[in-house]
């Protein structure tokens, strides 16, 4: 086949020989990079911060280069270690213990990182939430996790339905509230807390993180990760991120998303590397400015951002000096071959696609710096990972045949359970394979090619949205009788959310009504879950057992054959 490939450049990458490393590799080989390998004392926060803070050569190195409009701060490893100690003391004062859930609902800020690591230092489980979440999304997650403490800001507190959260004992507010007596004030508590803390030693299999994510059915589920994940964060930080001592690393992902924790926090800090932290939404010029100003060397971002840069034009980029940049990666949705080609021209660099999921905790299939890139392919499994394409029964399929992308059970960063839903975890496995729900094929040379989702999960601008959540919100609106929600292909956003609704009696179709319904989802759930298109139908197709036939809605929308409709309700 005549295919464009992009050869690796002859640079001194950390992972030199993919094949040889794969053949000889055991996950235990990574253990030597951690202090617990000798001391037996485990805590990911110790490995990411305190270990460096105790190292005279490292303690004054910048861990976080933070900037937001109107605020710039640098925190060294020693600073962040101490700040998180203080916060851990604050939490202890409020009776937080190992295994308790402590949630963060706030923008990225120095306080966020101090709190995040403070939580881990107490042995509690951290639950970071996107600041874009509205009341319903916040309620679902805090209720399901039975969170005991929430750290948030005065601007976001009104989205926290406190009356409906009986398990939530303490709310800590970061920032002036005017109602400080009702809440715990972050800065006041921190000022009164010691910067020394006896870190809680845990087991590798103890919980550290809950990330809520969407499936095709039911409410968002709490994906439970344990300290053991650090082994894979470290290894992929070395091989895939190619981190080196003097790097300035920027991961653009929000910590509400697994990329923002595994690769926005853990992998770089475990390697003791300096991180650029930049919050909020930005224009293409803000992205370039951030890269230039901080002399970023390694950049991990997402296709939706890269597509935005492409449509902004190469001329905009030429105004900046981006010569520091040496390595770019992408995750979250398919990386269009055109974007890879553009990157080659615009940055004179390859853009490395990486594939993984909230559930998998860390990268699994990637384009390694040392390997050639086939634009459009997600690359190959990292050492220690066996990947394949399987059918419904978990039988492996030959090359070039499409099926369910699957990973051989057992890797360090794999989720250990679905919170509050013990049976659910098992449903991910068939015949010893973790089955991803992504359809893909593998070519003769072992490169994997993403084709789409096998279920109804929507991926809009890299955000995973469950149709059920949106449908549930839609039918709360008095005008909406029934709703079915699908992802509709879109050139820049990957997919957009399209809702089909039927109206209750007494309601007439109008543009105002549709806009009102859209706003209802936007303000009730979150902006990214609001349907961009709404179509009114007399009824929504359902199976005899009452399930919405989203597949049929999609076929109609795309003008495709409707397939088997034997289960369609009369
Ligand atoms: C880390 C993360 C997981 C789903 C996954 C797939 C899609 C992720 C991708 C990709 C094509 C890639 N996805 N990376 N699709 N190419 N490189 O994204 O986690 O939010 O749980 O999403 O995202 O469909 O199953 P999460």
């Amino acid at each position: 086949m005549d295919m464009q490939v992009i050869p690796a450049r002859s640079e001194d990458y950390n992972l030199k020989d993919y094949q040889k490393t794969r053949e000889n590799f055991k996950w235990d080989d990574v253990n030597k990079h951690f202090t617990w390998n000798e001391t037996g004392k485990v805590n990911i926060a110790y490995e990411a911060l305190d270990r460096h803070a105790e190292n005279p050569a490292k303690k004054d190195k910048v861990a976080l280069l933070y900037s937001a409009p109107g605020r710039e701060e640098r925190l060294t490893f020693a600073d962040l270690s101490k700040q998180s100690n203080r916060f851990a003391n604050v939490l202890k004062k409020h009776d937080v213990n190992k295994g308790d859930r402590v949630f963060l609902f706030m923008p990225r800020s120095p306080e966020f990182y101090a709190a995040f690591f403070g939580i881990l230092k107490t042995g509690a489980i951290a639950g970071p939430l996107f600041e874009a979440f509205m009341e319903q999304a916040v309620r679902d997650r805090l209720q399901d996790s039975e969170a005991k403490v929430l750290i948030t800001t005065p601007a976001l507190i009104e989205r926290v339905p406190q009356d409906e959260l009986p398990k939530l004992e303490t709310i800590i507010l970061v920032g002036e509230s005017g109602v400080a007596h009702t809440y715990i004030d972050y800065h006041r508590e921190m000022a009164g807390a010691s910067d020394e803390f006896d870190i809680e030693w845990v087991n590798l299999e103890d919980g550290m993180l809950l990330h809520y994510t969407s499936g095709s059915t039911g409410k968002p589920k709490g994906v439970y990760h344990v300290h053991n994940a650090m082994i894979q964060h470290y290894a992929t930080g070395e091989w895939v991120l190619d981190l080196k001592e003097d790097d300035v690393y920027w991961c653009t992902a929000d910590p509400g998303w697994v990329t923002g924790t595994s690769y926005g926090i853990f992998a770089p800090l475990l390697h003791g590397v300096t991180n650029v932290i930049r919050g909020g939404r930005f224009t293409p010029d803000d992205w370039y400015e951030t890269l230039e100003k901080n002399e970023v060397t390694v950049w991990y971002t997402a296709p939706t951002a890269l597509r935005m840069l492409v449509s902004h034009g190469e001329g905009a980029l030429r105004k900046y000096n981006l010569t520091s940049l040496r390595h770019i990666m992408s995750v979250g949705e398919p990386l269009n071959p055109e974007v890879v080609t553009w990157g080659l021209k615009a940055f004179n660099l390859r853009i490395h696609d990486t594939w993984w999921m909230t559930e998998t905790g860390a990268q699994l299939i990637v384009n390694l710096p040392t390997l050639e890139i086939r634009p459009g392919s997600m690359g190959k499994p990292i050492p220690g990972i066996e990947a394949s394409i399987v059918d419904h029964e978990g039988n492996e399929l030959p090359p070039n045949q499409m099926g369910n992308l699957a990973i051989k059970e057992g890797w360090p960063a794999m989720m250990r359970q679905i919170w509050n839903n013990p049976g659910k975890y098992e449903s991910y496995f068939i015949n010893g394979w973790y089955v991803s729900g992504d359809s893909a094929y593998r070519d003769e040379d072992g490169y994997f090619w993403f084709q789409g989702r096998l279920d109804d999960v929507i991926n809009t601008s890299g955000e995973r949205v469950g149709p059920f959540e949106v449908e549930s919100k839609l039918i709360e609106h008095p005008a909406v009788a029934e709703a079915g929600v699908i992802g509709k292909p879109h050139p820049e956003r990957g997919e957009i959310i399209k809702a089909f609704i039927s109206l209750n009696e007494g309601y007439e179709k109008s543009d105002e009504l549709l806009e009102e319904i859209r706003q209802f989802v936007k303000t009730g759930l979150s902006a990214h879950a609001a349907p961009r298109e709404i179509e009114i139908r007399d009824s929504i197709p359902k199976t005899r057992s009452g399930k919405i036939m989203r597949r049929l809605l999609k076929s109609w929308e795309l003008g495709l054959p409707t397939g088997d409709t034997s289960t369609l309700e009369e």
Side-chain angles (χ1 to χ4, degrees):
M1 186 171 31
D2 185 24
M3 181 176 11
Q4 186 204 2
V5 301
I6 308 175
R9 298 200 292 206
S10 51
E11 276 182 44
D12 190 18
Y13 298 120
N14 290 336
L15 180 69
K16 298 199 165 42
D17 190 330
Y18 171 72
Q19 276 310 336
K20 223 154 89 201
T21 311
R22 252 188 99 72
E23 279 157 28
N24 303 315
F25 178 76
K26 299 181 301 304
W27 283 111
D28 283 350
D29 298 344
V30 187
N31 296 357
K32 62 173 182 286
H33 296 289
F34 300 104
T35 57
W36 50 255
N37 193 44
E38 276 164 27
T39 61
K41 294 175 171 171
V42 174
N43 193 310
I44 194 169
Y46 181 82
E47 304 290 341
L49 293 184
D50 300 353
R51 174 171 58 123
H52 307 306
E54 288 168 9
N55 175 353
K58 201 102 187 213
K59 67 181 181 32
D60 296 324
K61 180 173 177 179
V62 175
L64 304 183
L65 265 172
Y66 175 79
S67 70
R71 186 174 178 193
E72 295 209 1
E73 244 169 81
R74 291 164 175 248
L75 282 91
T76 63
F77 281 95
D79 293 335
L80 197 51
S81 170
K82 284 189 193 148
Q83 291 298 331
S84 53
N85 279 347
R86 282 183 198 275
F87 196 77
N89 280 314
V90 172
L91 290 177
K92 287 315 276 185
K93 184 172 142 195
H94 295 284
D95 193 33
V96 167
N97 293 301
K98 187 173 158 186
D100 287 342
R101 275 76 59 212
V102 179
F103 271 61
L104 296 138
F105 179 41
M106 61 189 290
R108 275 169 276 193
S109 65
E111 291 81 7
F112 174 93
Y113 294 88
F116 182 81
F117 279 109
I119 296 168
L120 298 178
K121 285 182 171 183
T122 66
I125 298 167
L129 300 179
F130 285 109
E131 63 185 294
F133 282 153
M134 304 307 281
E135 183 170 316
Q136 169 100 43
V138 174
R139 179 196 297 121
D140 286 346
R141 288 157 179 83
L142 295 183
Q143 275 180 350
D144 184 71
S145 62
E146 303 193 321
K148 183 168 178 175
V149 178
L150 175 71
I151 304 120
T152 186
T153 67
L156 296 174
I157 186 75
E158 63 190 44
R159 302 190 206 153
V160 182
Q162 294 167 64
D163 302 345
E164 296 166 73
L165 299 166
K167 297 287 162 82
L168 187 62
E169 292 172 13
T170 306
I171 295 180
I172 300 176
L173 277 194
V174 182
E176 295 296 321
S177 72
V179 283
H181 54 282
T182 342
Y183 303 105
I184 311 286
D185 180 82
Y186 177 96
H187 290 288
R188 192 169 331 132
E189 292 276 307
M190 287 289 270
S194 161
D195 64 9
E196 282 175 31
F197 181 74
D198 275 335
I199 195 165
E200 178 86 27
W201 300 115
V202 298
N203 292 312
L204 285 167
E205 291 299 315
D206 281 333
M208 64 148 178
L209 207 53
L210 264 186
H211 268 300
Y212 277 82
T213 192
S214 301
S216 51
T217 55
K219 296 255 186 200
K221 51 197 181 191
V223 176
Y224 174 83
H225 288 292
V226 299
H227 286 256
N228 193 65
M230 74 175 97
I231 294 172
Q232 198 170 346
H233 295 154
Y234 187 93
T236 49
E238 181 181 329
W239 301 327
V240 188
L241 278 47
D242 195 47
L243 294 173
K244 307 210 171 86
E245 178 66 34
D246 293 330
D247 274 320
V248 177
Y249 170 77
W250 185 26
C251 172
T252 55
D254 188 279
W257 182 30
V258 69
T259 306
T261 53
S262 295
Y263 295 101
I265 299 179
F266 295 127
L269 292 178
L270 289 168
H271 280 271
V273 160
T274 299
N275 288 269
V276 170
I277 308 288
R278 169 84 225 241
R281 293 181 162 273
F282 346 104
T283 63
D285 282 303
D286 295 329
W287 292 80
Y288 293 136
E289 238 173 71
T290 302
L291 290 168
E292 180 186 63
K293 187 178 87 186
N294 298 290
E295 300 184 19
V296 171
T297 59
V298 178
W299 186 31
Y300 199 6
T301 187
T304 181
L306 290 166
R307 286 193 297 259
M308 182 180 80
L309 297 184
V310 174
S311 52
H312 198 60
E314 210 181 308
L317 180 151
R318 294 285 163 239
K319 288 186 271 169
Y320 300 88
N321 175 0
L322 306 179
T323 44
S324 308
L325 201 56
R326 68 169 181 88
H327 185 40
I328 309 178
M329 288 153 292
S330 164
V331 64
E333 355 152 34
L335 180 64
N336 324 60
E338 306 78 58
V339 176
V340 178
T341 312
W342 179 83
L344 214 48
K345 199 155 60 69
F347 295 107
N348 191 23
L349 289 172
R350 311 191 315 167
I351 302 175
H352 300 77
D353 192 14
T354 64
W355 178 91
W356 56 294
M357 306 174 70
T358 304
E359 291 84 343
T360 73
Q363 297 160 340
L364 296 177
I365 296 179
V366 302
N367 283 282
L368 284 159
T370 17
L371 293 182
E372 70 177 34
I373 287 178
R374 303 184 172 182
S377 161
M378 308 187 288
K380 294 185 171 195
I382 58 170
I385 292 297
E386 194 188 329
S388 193
I389 304 295
V390 302
D391 66 12
H392 307 298
E393 281 144 13
N395 303 307
E396 287 190 68
L397 295 172
N400 295 323
Q401 213 163 307
M402 247 165 76
N404 209 325
L405 174 55
I407 311 292
K408 193 54 127 314
E409 230 178 306
W411 62 90
M414 176 59 175
M415 65 170 169
R416 295 301 199 263
Q417 54 167 288
I418 297 295
W419 189 259
N420 220 355
N421 192 349
K424 176 76 187 165
Y425 181 80
E426 309 307 326
S427 70
Y428 284 88
F429 297 92
I430 310 177
N431 202 17
W433 294 98
Y434 164 81
V435 177
S436 70
D438 281 356
S439 89
Y441 69 90
R442 174 171 50 176
D443 67 22
E444 286 91 356
D445 302 313
Y447 280 81
F448 283 79
W449 300 77
F450 179 85
Q451 301 296 296
R453 277 299 297 178
L454 287 159
D455 59 20
D456 298 329
V457 171
I458 300 165
N459 191 333
T460 177
S461 296
E463 308 238 22
R464 204 166 138 179
V465 177
F468 174 81
E469 240 188 307
V470 184
E471 288 158 1
S472 308
K473 194 75 215 170
L474 282 165
I475 58 176
E476 279 178 31
H477 189 280
V480 179
E482 288 183 317
V485 166
I486 61 163
K488 176 178 173 182
H490 183 272
E492 257 187 42
R493 294 168 194 274
E495 288 181 307
I496 55 164
I497 299 175
K498 169 146 192 179
F500 296 84
I501 58 172
S502 61
L503 294 180
N504 279 317
E505 241 167 271
Y507 287 90
E508 290 290 330
K509 175 181 174 165
S510 72
D511 288 346
E512 292 73 39
L513 178 63
L514 293 184
E515 184 51 26
E516 184 191 311
I517 293 171
R518 221 176 80 75
Q519 286 301 326
F520 181 76
V521 179
K522 187 168 168 181
T523 53
L525 200 53
S526 72
H528 74 264
R532 288 199 165 248
E533 290 182 16
I534 304 180
E535 183 176 324
I536 296 179
R537 300 192 76 98
D538 291 340
S539 67
I540 302 301
K542 287 195 294 297
T543 63
R544 287 163 209 276
S545 58
K547 291 192 181 62
I548 294 158
M549 291 187 79
R550 303 189 188 105
R551 177 173 60 79
L552 195 57
L553 289 170
K554 200 151 181 168
S555 308
W556 288 345
E557 180 64 33
L558 302 179
L560 298 172
T562 48
D564 179 13
T565 52
S566 57
T567 58
L568 186 65
E569 189 190 49
E570 307 282 300

